[in-house]
Amino acid sequence: MAYLYTPATAFERQARKLGLNERTCVASKVLRLWCEENKDRYYIPEWLLARWGMTVTPSLAPEQPFRSFVTELSCFASVRKL
């Protein structure tokens, strides 16, 4: 069975940087501020947005530059077999 490495999302990186987990992130004022500032640009779990009463406006997100399919695949580290 092969596994594909998937990099952490910006939200996951921020939560780790703050030392938070799923239980403690709801109470974090710093994470909430980060989410308010970045909710239209990065993925934030829907359950957390709902808990905080935030809505996303995807049209405000910056446009992504065109990247080929090969470029997209190259950002994955490796495929490992167990």
Side-chain angles (χ1 to χ4, degrees):
M1 177 182 257
Y3 293 93
L4 184 62
Y5 169 78
T6 54
T9 65
F11 171 82
E12 291 168 332
R13 289 190 305 270
Q14 186 65 22
R16 279 191 208 130
K17 179 180 172 184
L18 297 170
L20 303 171
N21 60 39
E22 192 172 325
R23 290 182 179 184
T24 59
C25 67
V26 174
S28 173
K29 292 179 182 180
V30 175
L31 183 63
R32 183 176 180 146
L33 179 61
W34 183 90
C35 290
E36 285 175 358
E37 293 173 354
N38 294 287
K39 65 183 173 62
D40 298 318
R41 283 182 279 193
Y42 299 113
Y43 170 78
I44 298 170
E46 291 178 24
W47 65 267
L48 189 56
L49 291 171
R51 180 81 182 255
W52 285 336
M54 294 182 193
T55 56
V56 174
T57 310
S59 61
L60 297 178
E63 291 189 30
Q64 296 293 322
F66 174 78
R67 293 191 285 178
S68 70
F69 182 70
V70 174
T71 304
E72 291 293 327
L73 290 177
S74 68
C75 58
F76 294 108
S78 65
V79 175
R80 297 183 293 160
K81 291 185 178 183
L82 292 178

